[in-house]
Amino acid sequence: KQDKATRERLLNGNWNYDDNPYALIEFDKIVDLWTNNHVPTGERFITADVAGMGSDTFAIYVWSGWRVIHVEQLAKNDGENGVRLINDLKKRFRVPNSNITYDADGIGSYLRGYFPGARPFVNNSAALKGENFKNLKAQCYFRLAERINDGGVYIEFEMDSKTRERLIEELEQVQRDPGNDDGKLRLVAKEIIKNTIGRSPDLSDAMAFRVIFELTNKTQSKRLSFI
């Protein structure tokens, strides 16, 4: 009944299971996400990784500072359901549109007309602040990894065991691509991750989107140790 890494270590004796030199997040720090109650509350945000009617999941987080205070998932999103859910969460938790971000690639682009002032997250757009990343997605994941490793994220919301295991599995797959011919920091391709875990990493993507507010005028962000 344990997560995959614990099973590998204790059941199969594979103590080096998470010793991937390219992994960005330490396994023990991933597990700490559910006990980091020292993380303060703060301004509220909504981050959403949009999916349609296929096998991917529409994942939504509500944040208080760097605390995850609510999580929703939609297995089937016909557009209207997604808009309705974000609107319900926006009203319930009093989140202004400017504190909402969503995956604007592909099907997610339809949200632009429903949430004016929200921040569309374009994964392959240029990194912000002139930092040396392949794209915005890589920049946000590297920064999220550093914050998790520093014990700076807390999942306050009580996830069911299946969701928790899926998130752990996805965060374990956050890896640096060693091939950087252009000198920029990049992630292992999403298609490789999908082939490894058998699905899209929707939960971890929605978590990484939270970083965009650190990179804009909302808050000041520190320089990464990776750079």
Side-chain angles (χ1 to χ4, degrees):
K1 295 182 179 180
Q2 299 298 315
D3 58 84
K4 185 176 180 181
T6 301
R7 289 198 303 270
E8 286 292 331
R9 287 171 166 181
L10 301 183
L11 183 63
N12 300 326
N14 183 8
W15 293 97
N16 295 323
Y17 173 77
D18 62 334
D19 288 346
N20 180 345
Y22 302 114
L24 294 183
I25 310 175
E26 300 169 31
F27 175 74
D28 290 342
K29 300 301 183 180
I30 296 174
V31 175
D32 284 343
L33 285 169
W34 286 271
T35 57
N36 288 335
N37 56 9
H38 57 271
V39 175
T41 59
E43 192 171 0
R44 292 188 174 184
F45 301 91
I46 290 176
T47 61
D49 185 38
V50 183
M53 298 293 287
S55 59
D56 295 350
T57 300
F58 191 151
I60 306 174
Y61 289 87
V62 182
W63 302 80
S64 174
W66 277 94
R67 286 179 171 234
V68 176
I69 59 174
H70 193 83
V71 179
E72 290 277 359
Q73 297 179 82
L74 279 178
K76 301 292 183 182
N77 171 35
D78 61 3
E80 290 183 6
N81 288 338
V83 170
R84 186 181 306 113
L85 179 54
I86 293 177
N87 259 321
D88 289 345
L89 294 173
K90 164 183 154 57
K91 293 175 183 177
R92 176 179 170 186
F93 292 98
R94 300 182 180 181
V95 181
N97 279 7
S98 59
N99 283 12
I100 298 174
T101 188
Y102 56 89
D103 181 1
D105 294 333
I107 190 172
S109 60
Y110 77 87
L111 291 176
R112 291 176 186 268
Y114 292 96
F115 300 100
R119 297 167 187 256
F121 192 102
V122 180
N123 290 273
N124 205 36
S125 60
L128 301 176
K129 297 181 178 290
E131 292 181 347
N132 194 38
F133 294 96
K134 179 67 175 178
N135 50 36
L136 178 62
K137 181 178 181 179
Q139 184 179 27
C140 287
Y141 259 114
F142 270 82
R143 286 191 172 276
L144 175 68
E146 183 170 81
R147 180 170 283 276
I148 291 176
N149 288 335
D150 285 345
V153 181
Y154 175 42
I155 300 178
E156 176 183 323
F157 180 76
E158 188 172 344
M159 289 181 171
D160 61 76
S161 59
K162 181 179 179 181
T163 301
R164 174 171 170 157
E165 181 162 346
R166 286 167 68 96
L167 177 57
I168 290 174
E169 187 177 42
E170 291 175 19
L171 291 173
E172 286 183 283
Q173 296 301 318
V174 179
Q175 301 174 52
R176 175 178 180 170
D177 186 343
N180 59 342
D181 295 339
D182 56 1
K184 295 183 181 296
L185 294 170
R186 68 182 73 201
L187 298 170
V188 167
K190 187 171 184 177
E191 287 305 313
I192 294 177
I193 305 302
K194 290 174 73 172
N195 289 336
T196 300
I197 64 176
R199 64 178 188 280
S200 177
D202 306 305
L203 287 165
S204 63
D205 280 357
M207 180 173 279
F209 294 168
R210 169 66 178 84
V211 178
I212 196 171
F213 298 107
E214 300 290 292
L215 296 171
T216 55
N217 295 330
K218 282 294 177 185
T219 55
Q220 294 295 321
S221 55
K222 66 180 181 179
R223 189 165 179 81
L224 277 173
S225 61
F226 296 105
I227 301 174

